[in-house]
């Protein structure tokens, strides 16, 4: 009992959020019987709030890809709405695509680096403050990018600095929401809930594109100001209502977060071990698509496992290198589309910037279905590499067709975009969730929690580098014609296929062995 009391006292350092306190008082007055379903209400509100929060993070990243088409315009374009003939300085130069590539990289590289630090901080502070402040500042930097138009700022450095600072504060999102979800939901209920919950990324991208597209032609400052304001407002809502831990409101905690070491005969040893476990957990939470299902295994074994695993040891686990590199190329393709699609559609068709942006959301819509389908097939077949290969094989001709046939008619464009999104995002979603969990269970690990964290960090870290490289290369290559961008993406897709094929052979041999055993 004494131990439990100490843990509760540790949790209550942070007060119950004001909004929750008010809602509890109100419910006691209005309908006292509501207390019975308290856990369901809190769990539902956690799902909804974290879903909205992470969708908002993605929503605020999206406007720049929509606004690119107005920042740099074709000088002969009669529909020009800006004062300058060729767009908004400093982007009114012929090699504007290189400048846009620099802005994308400034954000993505900072984001990839900051993610690890963010994971460490998230573990040691109140998640409510962490997420609220993160969202408030993310909203502010989104707003500042648009403010350049109102303040008439034309220095490239201003835009780069805003992107870098934005990249830093945006990393508060993933470690924050994943940790909250893990605290509120035990492993038995996670699979389906997380599967549906994971669509926030695409929903955020779609919302961000639609909002930015609405204002892009009249006043692109609002394309940034509106998502920024929504983001900041949601940050305030999070501050009022998000509950850090079930125990704060008198509910049983899943203890998916690490318990505080209590005094015992081996207190120092326990404390040192807890610090080690912290590190394993931090790495494990520190990347944007950390496999949520695999995490609980690392906690259950955290108490028994002490041996750290070197990066080289983790790399020797069969499949880690292949899937890491495969994710590198999958993310390269996916993020290039994310950042360049609206501009490509606008320049390759006669559509206006806002219609082009609306159309680009179809890639994300296809992606949602691709992720769900890939996960379902892998669950039933137990063959993730083969699933990835099939999708990648289908993706290459689709990219080729989109580059050459996308301009024929709007219907062809729509169908090809949906299919391309489905094929490209399927493998990406699968590797970051299902595959990382599978590798974490590998017999050579003997359930070593730290190895699982290292494996995840390697796979996702490599993927994040691809996400930063893709849009930057696209910026350089697109100057010589858009066809080169698609050729680059098709090459990346083929390389991903070749890399994953070794795992496919292993899966097929395993399948054949299994069948032979069954027949005998």
């Amino acid at each position: 009992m004494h131990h439990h009391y100490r843990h509760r006292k540790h949790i209550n350092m942070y007060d119950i959020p004001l909004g929750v306190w008010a809602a509890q008082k109100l419910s006691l007055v209005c309908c006292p019987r509501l207390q019975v379903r308290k856990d369901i209400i809190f769990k539902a509100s956690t799902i909804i709030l974290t879903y909205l929060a992470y969708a908002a993070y993605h929503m605020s990243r999206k406007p720049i890809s929509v606004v690119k088409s107005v920042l740099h315009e074709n000088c002969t374009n009669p529909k020009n709405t800006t004062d300058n003939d060729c767009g908004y300085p400093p982007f009114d130069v012929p090699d504007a695509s290189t400048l846009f590539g620099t802005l994308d990289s400034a954000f993505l590289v900072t984001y990839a680096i900051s993610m690890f630090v963010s994971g460490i901080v998230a573990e040691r502070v109140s998640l409510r403050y962490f997420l609220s402040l993160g969202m408030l500042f993310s909203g502010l930097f989104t707003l500042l990018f648009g403010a350049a138009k109102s303040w008439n700022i034309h220095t490239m450095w201003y835009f780069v600095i805003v992107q870098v600072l934005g990249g830093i504060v945006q990393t508060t999102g993933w470690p924050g929401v994943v940790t909250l979800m893990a605290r509120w939901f035990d492993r038995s209920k996670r699979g389906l809930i997380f599967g549906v919950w994971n669509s926030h990324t695409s929903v955020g991208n779609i919302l961000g594109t639609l909002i930015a597209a609405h204002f892009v032609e009249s006043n692109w400052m609002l394309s940034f100001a509106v998502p920024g304001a929504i983001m900041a407002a949601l940050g305030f809502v999070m501050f009022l209502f998000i509950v850090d831990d079930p125990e704060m409101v008198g509910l049983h905690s899943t203890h998916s977060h690490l318990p505080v070491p209590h005094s015992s005969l081996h207190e120092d040893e326990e404390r040192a071990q807890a610090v080690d476990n912290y590190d394993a957990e931090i790495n494990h939470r520190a990347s944007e698509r950390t496999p949520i299902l695999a995490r609980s295994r690392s906690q259950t074994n955290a108490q028994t496992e002490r041996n750290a695993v070197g990066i080289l040891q983790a790399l020797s686990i069969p499949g880690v290198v292949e899937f890491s590199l495969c994710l590198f190329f999958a993310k390269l393709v996916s993020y290039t589309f994310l950042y360049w699609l609206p501009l490509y559609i606008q320049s390759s068709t006669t559509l206006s910037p806002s219609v082009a942006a609306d159309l680009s959301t179809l890639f994300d819509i296809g992606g949602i279905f691709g992720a769900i389908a890939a996960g379902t097939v892998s669950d039933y077949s137990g063959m993730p590499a083969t699933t990835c290969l099939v999708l990648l094989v289908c993706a290459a001709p689709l990219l080729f067709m989109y580059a050459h046939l996308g301009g024929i008619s709007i219907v062809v464009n729509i169908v090809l975009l949906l299919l391309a999104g489905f094929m490209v995002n399927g493998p990406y979603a699968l590797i970051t969730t299902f595959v990382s969990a599978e590798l974490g269970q590998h017999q050579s690990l003997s359930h070593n929690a730290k190895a699982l964290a290292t494996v995840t960090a390697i796979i996702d870290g490599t993927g994040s580098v691809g996400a930063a490289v893709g849009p930057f290369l696209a910026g350089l290559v697109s100057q010589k014609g858009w066809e080169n961008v698609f050729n680059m993406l098709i090459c990346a897709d083929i390389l991903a296929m070749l890399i994953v094929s070794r795992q496919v052979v292993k899966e097929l041999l395993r399948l054949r062995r299994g069948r032979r055993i069954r027949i005998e």
Side-chain angles (χ1 to χ4, degrees), residues 286-349:
S287 45
E288 178 167 330
R289 283 282 188 124
T290 305
I292 298 144
L293 295 175
R295 268 201 38 263
S296 52
R297 193 178 310 101
S298 77
Q299 283 118 17
T300 40
N301 299 292
Q303 293 303 315
T304 55
E305 196 50 67
R306 286 175 206 192
N307 306 329
V309 162
I311 284 188
L312 288 173
Q313 217 174 328
L315 285 170
S316 66
I317 299 162
V320 170
V321 176
E322 287 95 328
F323 283 119
S324 299
L325 292 170
C326 186
L327 186 63
F328 175 92
F329 291 112
K331 260 190 153 177
L332 187 150
V333 177
S334 183
Y335 271 70
T336 304
F337 261 94
L338 199 71
Y339 280 91
W340 287 96
L341 193 56
L343 186 60
Y344 169 72
I345 294 174
Q346 196 245 324
S347 64
S348 65
T349 61

Side-chain angles (χ1 to χ4, degrees), residues 386-407:
T386 314
T387 313
C388 277
L389 185 73
V390 171
L391 289 168
L392 290 166
V393 167
C394 297
L398 273 168
L399 292 171
F400 182 80
M401 284 161 69
Y402 186 69
H404 294 278
L405 307 175

